[in-house]
Amino acid sequence: MTGRPSVPSSDRRLGGGSGDAVCPVTSRGEPDGTRAEGAEAADAAQPGGGRPAHKGGRERVRDGGAGHARARRRDRRVYLRAHPFLFALLAAGRGRPVRRIGRTVLVHGADAYREVLTRLPLDRTAPGTTGGAARSAIGAGGDGSAASPGVLFDQDGGAHRALRRGLVRDLGTAGVEELRSLWRPLMERRLEPLAAGGTVDVVALTRELAGTVVCALLGSAASPSAVAAAAAEVAAVSVRSELPGPPRPGARAAVARATDRLRQLLGGGGDTGGAPGGGPGWSRGPEGPEGTGSDGGDGSGGSGGSDEALSAMVAVAAVNTSVAALPRAAAWCADAGLWEQAADDTLRRSLTGELLRVTAASPLLPRVAAADGAVGGCPVRSGDRLLLVARHAVGAHTGDPDALHPAPPAVARLVFGAGPHTCPGAGLAGALLEDLLAALAPYRPAVVRARVDRGAALPSWRTLTLRATASAVPR
């Protein structure tokens, strides 16, 4: 088959299919990337973000199209001001589900995205991948050398399953409800200034919430805010050390220092402010998840160092994805006037899933093929670099959040991955955002100040200040 595949409009909105995709080999500098970025701007300028026709041929009629366009313009700033190269990469070639540029394969389509994560053998420890970066950063010792313990992202097989079991247990329904008893009172206290006409920085609140969750999960007595700051620093310096180009002097040492700081905090060797929870039920203990050794064996191969590495990984992942997603979701809600839906008990969960979809906290997943194969009809060779564009796979670049007509779950959940490496914290992220929306909704807050975090590992706000609208302050 030659030429661009024909994709129904409903599928195009959700990232497009990949079963009959072609694999055009393009050279660097091909103008398609420029055209795609121009299309992104055009999408943002259209009411409703340029959403195509709804299923059945009916044009989707939306109120507040201008609000969604405003929300989309604001959200794009986290890419354009902090990660302009990343944004250009995301825009490049998105008209096709799969595109090859030399030894790099860009994956935009939902089906192709899922195919890579569930069917193609991947090198979990390759430099520049999520697993490689996690292993290098969290496994770094004081001398900057990478240690050997697995940190979930860099594992496959039995070791990976053993570590996931412990996390899934703690992040299951019962575990999330236990954590809610910690974060709901915290939300209520931190949002009190809104009732008096004051302001609240949602980024600072999210950091404290994420830090509280991490400390409770790991049984740490550290200050939640200190843990959140340390986890954000580990991610930021790790990303800087992994940027293309010649090695940066001092980059590995900076990663080691940041990692050691986080480990000391989690182990009680740094700033403490009393444990927010963290009783025996939340502490995984010295043996790792479910009382087994952290290597996933029978308990004889575990070590304190590998357990510390996994704990640090949990902190880095939880904090950075939360800070990337929750404030951006709140900003979109405010700009698009979605507080009525957020206040509706029957719509809030659907709205939460849609906001997580359009914000796509981890918009790009770098992977490396471990064997020859094919993705969406495109041949892939062992060692090829795969750039999975989650933002496009879930239709975040064109489809506005719509609680009444949400994207299919199989598509929306791709922001958390697919297959055996699906993020175990997906339920926790949904519950945290759902409760934040419920807590904010009575105030109908508006954004009064927003500043991009130019140094963050993921597209994020540095500050996002909200103030209640005068007519919505509870009496």
Side-chain angles (χ1 to χ4, degrees):
M1 180 175 178
T2 59
R4 174 175 292 188
S6 175
V7 180
S9 60
S10 59
D11 287 340
R12 189 182 307 119
R13 174 176 69 85
L14 301 174
S18 64
D20 60 349
V22 296
C23 180
V25 178
T26 61
S27 63
R28 295 184 184 274
E30 180 181 331
D32 277 3
T34 304
R35 292 199 302 272
E37 185 167 354
E40 178 85 4
D43 288 341
Q46 295 179 32
R51 184 188 291 259
H54 185 42
K55 293 178 181 179
R58 294 184 295 108
E59 190 71 23
R60 187 182 294 263
V61 179
R62 298 181 53 86
D63 293 329
H68 279 293
R70 179 170 56 251
R72 186 173 293 280
R73 286 194 299 271
R74 185 192 301 278
D75 196 64
R76 288 173 74 235
R77 285 168 53 194
V78 298
Y79 296 101
L80 294 174
R81 297 194 179 182
H83 300 274
F85 175 76
L86 172 62
F87 184 81
L89 182 63
L90 292 178
R94 70 179 186 187
R96 299 185 178 105
V98 183
R99 178 189 292 271
R100 174 181 285 280
I101 304 176
R103 291 297 303 272
T104 298
V105 179
L106 296 175
V107 180
H108 300 273
D111 292 342
Y113 183 97
R114 188 182 297 106
E115 187 176 4
V116 170
L117 295 178
T118 59
R119 297 179 58 186
L120 187 69
L122 300 174
D123 183 348
R124 298 287 176 185
T125 62
T129 65
T130 304
R135 190 179 184 87
S136 176
I138 304 304
D143 60 355
S145 61
S148 60
V151 289
L152 196 69
F153 287 123
D154 63 342
Q155 293 177 307
D156 259 324
H160 178 261
R161 288 192 295 271
L163 289 181
R164 277 186 62 91
R165 280 197 298 269
L167 289 175
V168 169
R169 178 199 62 200
D170 286 352
L171 298 175
T173 301
V176 169
E177 287 306 311
E178 182 76 13
L179 289 169
R180 273 180 151 150
S181 68
L182 299 176
W183 76 52
R184 281 175 169 170
L186 176 59
M187 283 182 186
E188 185 177 350
R189 291 195 304 272
R190 295 295 182 260
L191 295 179
E192 285 178 355
L194 294 177
T199 61
V200 169
D201 180 4
V202 181
V203 175
L205 171 59
T206 301
R207 288 197 189 105
E208 188 174 7
L209 290 169
T212 297
V213 167
V214 166
C215 290
L217 282 171
L218 302 179
S220 173
S223 159
S225 296
V227 167
E233 179 65 12
V234 169
V237 297
S238 298
V239 166
R240 288 196 290 270
S241 72
E242 294 287 335
L243 291 174
R248 290 159 175 76
R252 289 297 307 140
V255 173
R257 287 194 300 271
T259 302
D260 287 345
R261 166 68 172 162
L262 176 59
R263 284 179 163 179
Q264 289 173 12
L265 281 171
L266 293 174
D271 299 341
T272 59
W282 289 113
S283 176
R284 289 175 19 259
E287 296 262 39
E290 299 198 344
T292 65
S294 295
D295 64 349
D298 59 2
S300 59
S303 69
S306 58
D307 192 64
E308 288 178 3
L310 180 61
S311 296
M313 184 282 299
V314 169
V316 171
V319 168
N320 287 278
T321 54
S322 296
V323 172
L326 270 63
R328 290 171 58 198
W332 198 301
C333 223
D335 288 336
L338 300 178
W339 294 122
E340 185 175 345
Q341 292 185 8
D344 189 321
D345 292 340
T346 63
L347 292 179
R348 190 182 309 117
R349 179 163 297 183
S350 179
L351 177 63
T352 295
E354 282 290 274
L355 289 170
L356 290 173
R357 177 181 66 82
V358 298
T359 54
S362 298
L364 183 69
L365 301 183
R367 298 290 187 266
V368 170
D372 293 349
V375 175
C378 177
V380 174
R381 290 172 290 172
S382 178
D384 278 354
R385 188 173 182 82
L386 303 160
L387 298 180
L388 312 183
V389 188
R391 174 177 163 84
H392 295 163
V394 300
H397 59 306
T398 55
D400 295 327
D402 188 340
L404 296 174
H405 303 87
V411 172
R413 290 172 185 158
L414 289 178
V415 294
F416 296 106
H421 283 263
T422 300
C423 175
L428 174 65
L432 192 56
L433 177 55
E434 189 175 343
D435 284 357
L436 179 62
L437 294 178
L440 287 170
Y443 301 103
R444 303 297 196 270
V447 178
V448 295
R449 184 170 183 263
R451 185 157 63 108
V452 172
D453 190 342
R454 297 176 184 270
L458 298 174
S460 309
W461 296 109
R462 185 174 183 84
T463 58
L464 183 80
T465 306
L466 301 182
R467 176 179 284 121
T469 58
S471 60
V473 176
R475 292 183 173 84

